[in-house]
Amino acid sequence: AQSVTQLGSHVSVSEGALVLLRCNYSSSVPPYLFWYVQYPNQGLQLLLKYTSAATLVKGINGFEAEFKKSETSFHLTKPSAHMSDAAEYFCAVKGDYKLSFGAGTTVTVRA
Amino acid sequence: SQTIHQWPATLVQPVGSPLSLECTVEGTSNPNLYWYRQAAGRGLQLLFYSVGIGQISSEVPQNLSASRPQDRQFILSSKKLLLSDSGFYLCAWSVSGIIETQYFGPGTRLLVL
């Protein structure tokens, strides 16, 4: 069965600093991986997805993620944090019929 | 383009009362539909999914049920709510395929008192 683990339940960054959110996956087959963002009291919004076409995936709002098979990782980054990036971020892996989500990482941005 | 709606947005219900949450999708046919619950500090839990009208699969045993009376309508119900049913309920849709992506609705906040 496929699963993901997000390292760090809470990340605090300064405005303008690098955002790095860690996600490691476990899968017996080539995985399809996703990052979603959730703002308070809203649904999840797709940031980006890895579908094996390219290891570096660019998403919305300046985010990108790199698939590293040797490290079984799919970390999410953004070069320069903005106050509007404060939210909860979820990594997910596609299974047979459903997504398996990580526990989520809450990002706070300091002015 | 596709749109997903959920209502109500918020709901406060007493313990033991019934529940009905509705989700509808526009702009696509024969979607796969999902109900998730997000409880405080517990991440996202898949409750039900449906691949077609009248076809419901349950992920976890509980006092909730789901129905799909129409192609693009998905309903979450309970006959008697428990305190533990409080949470944020999210509906999602996808279209079957190799690179299947789920898209989420705005959610319903349920508080059981």
Side-chain angles (χ1 to χ4, degrees), chain B:
Chain B
S1 64
Q2 299 86 2
T3 308
I4 179 169
H5 303 280
Q6 287 187 244
W7 64 87
T10 59
L11 191 60
V12 180
Q13 291 285 90
V15 169
S17 63
L19 174 73
S20 181
L21 304 182
E22 190 165 342
C23 169
T24 59
V25 180
E26 298 176 355
T28 187
S29 296
N30 196 30
N32 299 321
L33 297 172
Y34 308 83
W35 278 113
Y36 289 87
R37 177 168 59 202
Q38 193 175 22
R42 296 188 62 181
L44 283 136
Q45 180 185 35
L46 179 64
L47 302 175
F48 302 94
Y49 71 96
S50 172
V51 298
I53 296 175
Q55 301 177 62
I56 309 294
S57 296
S58 174
E59 281 291 293
V60 293
Q62 57 206 320
N63 70 322
L64 299 172
S65 62
S67 62
R68 185 171 177 174
Q70 300 181 41
D71 181 45
R72 289 168 286 179
Q73 184 184 30
F74 205 23
I75 297 172
L76 183 69
S77 303
S78 175
K79 293 182 178 179
K80 289 185 177 182
L81 283 169
L82 306 173
L83 286 173
S84 58
D85 292 323
S86 294
F88 193 49
Y89 288 82
L90 290 161
C91 182
W93 69 272
S94 69
V95 175
S96 293
I98 296 176
I99 311 173
E100 189 171 330
T101 302
Q102 290 186 22
Y103 299 94
F104 286 78
T108 294
R109 175 77 59 191
L110 172 65
L111 178 60
V112 183
L113 299 175

Side-chain angles (χ1 to χ4, degrees), chain A residues 84-100:
Chain A
S84 61
D85 296 324
E88 190 165 18
Y89 293 79
F90 293 93
C91 181
V93 62
K94 182 181 179 300
D96 290 339
Y97 56 88
K98 67 177 183 179
L99 290 177
S100 294

Side-chain angles (χ1 to χ4, degrees), chain A residues 28-95:
Chain A
S28 57
V29 298
Y32 293 115
L33 295 159
F34 304 81
W35 275 101
Y36 287 86
V37 61
Q38 185 180 31
Y39 300 101
N41 292 312
Q42 295 186 25
L44 275 68
Q45 181 181 6
L46 181 68
L47 274 177
L48 50 81
K49 59 184 176 183
Y50 169 71
T51 60
S52 76
T55 56
L56 183 61
V57 182
K58 294 188 181 299
I60 62 172
N61 302 340
F63 284 93
E64 63 181 33
E66 186 171 9
F67 175 75
K68 292 187 177 180
K69 184 178 179 180
S70 61
E71 299 178 7
T72 61
S73 68
F74 189 55
H75 300 334
L76 182 72
T77 60
K78 182 174 180 177
S80 178
H82 190 271
M83 298 299 289
S84 61
D85 296 324
E88 190 165 18
Y89 293 79
F90 293 93
C91 181
V93 62
K94 182 181 179 300

